[in-house]
Amino acid sequence: MWNKNRITELLGIEYPIMQGPFGGGLSTVELTTTVSNLGGLGGFGAYTLSPQEIYDIHQQIQSKTDKPYNLNLWVNDHDIIDEEHTQKQYEKAVETFKPYFDLLNMEVPQPPPSFESRFQNQLQVVFDIKPKVFSFMFGLLDPNIIEDLHKQGTIVLGNATTLDEAIALENLGVDIIVASGFESGGHRPSFLDKSELSTTGTFALIQLVKDKVRIPVIAAGGIANGRGIAGAFTLGAEAVQIGTAFLATEESGALPIHKEFLFSDAAKSTTLSRAYTGRLGRGITTKITRNVLTATDKTLPFPLQTTFMGALRKAALEQQKNDLVFFWSGQIAPILKHKKASILMKSLIEEANGLLA
């Protein structure tokens, strides 16, 4: 049976289908619990949340399901080097993005305030709430932390975009590797080399990782239906993580215009860009990302670029100048069909059953 393997046993789930743990307000309690209650593994991206907010979300999820879910944090939650470097990057960003602020009749914002890493305080909450599943991105944890998480009964997932990252994660002691391919929407969680140099496709990455590591592998990127699940399993994955298809559902926290774009012809073209956050991520190609495609060194460090662009994004949405907005999306968006998470989940299971049973 395709849905009975090491991952379903480890995680205590019925179907090896995971919902991507979106950050930045895109995850919701409703989406997470819908997927978990239907036998998959819902996910909640918490890297922008305070410790108290993470605790509150966990309580809300537990009130709606007794099934496990995946709580996700970012180990490296900023790229700030020092004040001098930030000032130089701010000057470059102003030069690059001023024409777009001008289009919206806006003043260029002042340099964003300094940013303090949240991760250590967030991590403490993970030990307080003891989730069944914890995943991390953008780096490696201390091996002692992995050991302590295992002692409290938490299954640990690490995200890899290259074979070398997967090997590093296995050596660290994680239980499962999420192999995140080039096709994926959202941020590229690379940590051993530049994201621009860590662009292996999902189906190549599964095979590379499967050939060199012993622990189970989850395929992420370019999967939105049963055919994608069957392909990933044929190549050695024991589960899939699906992002864009769940992001497009009514239950996600994405804006209505974002979901509209995901179901439109615009989704045929996606771009990897640092323009909106300072970290490389894939979204729908719009005027702003097309024009600043090569401006990889002309953005503020993450997450200061997010703050810098926040006012522009808000004004562009208000003025319906959507070509100045970057909407997260994977390359698979043009085949999306389902707008309700429950229908999507049931369809994934039914299609996979038909192809893999």
Side-chain angles (χ1 to χ4, degrees):
M1 294 291 289
W2 71 277
N3 62 313
K4 302 299 177 189
N5 58 33
R6 290 185 294 174
I7 286 181
T8 55
E9 186 177 343
L10 264 175
L11 301 181
I13 58 177
E14 188 175 355
Y15 297 102
I17 298 172
M18 298 172 56
Q19 167 241 318
F22 317 122
L26 299 176
S27 287
T28 65
V29 171
E30 185 179 5
L31 177 57
T32 303
T33 56
T34 295
V35 175
S36 288
N37 280 329
L38 287 171
L41 188 74
F44 203 102
Y47 81 91
T48 61
L49 303 183
S50 69
Q52 184 61 51
E53 287 170 330
I54 295 172
Y55 179 83
D56 292 344
I57 289 292
H58 178 70
Q59 295 301 312
Q60 291 172 40
I61 290 172
Q62 285 201 312
S63 73
K64 293 179 178 293
T65 185
D66 59 355
K67 308 291 185 184
Y69 77 99
N70 170 27
L71 177 66
N72 178 265
L73 290 175
W74 292 14
V75 175
N76 179 2
D77 59 4
H78 73 88
D79 298 330
I80 300 162
I81 298 172
D82 56 40
E83 194 172 325
E84 182 181 354
H85 176 260
T86 297
Q87 181 58 37
K88 287 179 181 176
Q89 293 304 108
Y90 171 73
E91 291 164 6
K92 290 180 181 179
V94 169
E95 182 183 340
T96 302
F97 294 96
K98 188 177 186 304
Y100 304 103
F101 285 96
D102 290 344
L103 279 172
L104 296 166
N105 298 311
M106 295 178 64
E107 293 292 323
V108 175
Q110 293 300 305
S114 59
F115 176 82
E116 295 294 328
S117 175
R118 305 183 182 100
F119 178 66
Q120 289 304 321
N121 289 334
Q122 292 172 327
L123 188 60
Q124 183 53 53
V125 181
V126 179
F127 287 106
D128 293 338
I129 63 178
K130 298 178 174 57
K132 171 72 174 178
V133 184
F134 171 68
S135 66
F136 62 92
M137 302 162 64
F138 287 108
L140 295 170
L141 290 172
D142 186 290
N144 293 327
I145 293 174
I146 301 288
E147 188 177 338
D148 289 342
L149 287 166
H150 285 154
K151 284 178 182 175
Q152 72 175 22
T154 297
I155 304 299
V156 184
L157 282 57
N159 285 257
T161 63
T162 65
L163 173 59
D164 285 346
E165 289 177 352
I167 292 170
L169 287 166
E170 182 179 44
N171 291 339
L172 186 68
V174 304
D175 300 291
I176 302 170
I177 291 168
V178 180
S180 180
F182 171 80
E183 302 92 332
S184 301
H187 286 102
R188 302 295 302 135
S190 307
F191 60 89
L192 288 183
D193 205 344
K194 283 188 174 182
S195 298
E196 286 85 354
L197 301 175
S198 307
T199 51
T200 309
T202 303
F203 280 16
L205 187 59
I206 297 167
Q207 295 174 82
L208 293 172
V209 174
K210 188 68 180 175
D211 190 54
K212 297 295 183 183
V213 307
R214 297 178 302 279
I215 59 176
V217 178
I218 297 167
I223 302 167
N225 58 22
R227 294 194 307 276
I229 296 172
F233 273 63
T234 300
L235 295 175
E238 293 183 51
V240 296
Q241 179 171 285
I242 294 174
T244 303
F246 280 115
L247 184 65
T249 63
E250 294 173 9
E251 291 84 354
S252 92
L255 294 172
I257 186 63
H258 188 166
K259 295 170 187 176
E260 190 177 312
F261 261 67
L262 289 172
F263 284 105
S264 75
D265 283 346
K268 292 176 182 176
S269 175
T270 63
T271 307
L272 283 168
S273 176
R274 291 182 181 266
Y276 251 86
T277 71
R279 279 187 175 171
L280 194 68
R282 183 177 295 283
I284 293 172
T285 307
T286 53
K287 177 179 179 178
I288 194 165
T289 51
R290 189 182 297 276
N291 291 354
V292 298
L293 189 61
T294 59
T296 55
D297 63 338
K298 296 178 181 177
T299 59
L300 280 159
F302 178 87
L304 301 183
Q305 180 73 8
T306 311
T307 307
F308 178 74
M309 296 294 282
L312 185 145
R313 183 178 188 273
K314 183 174 183 292
L317 289 167
E318 288 173 352
Q319 297 179 34
Q320 297 184 348
K321 293 181 178 177
N322 297 319
D323 241 12
L324 301 184
V325 183
F326 192 42
F327 299 106
W328 298 122
S329 173
Q331 291 183 329
I332 201 65
I335 72 165
L336 299 184
K337 295 178 182 177
H338 304 294
K339 296 187 177 182
K340 288 196 70 68
S342 58
I343 295 174
L344 169 61
M345 187 66 186
K346 289 170 184 175
S347 173
L348 291 168
I349 294 166
E350 184 178 328
E351 289 176 9
N353 275 335
L355 292 165
L356 293 168

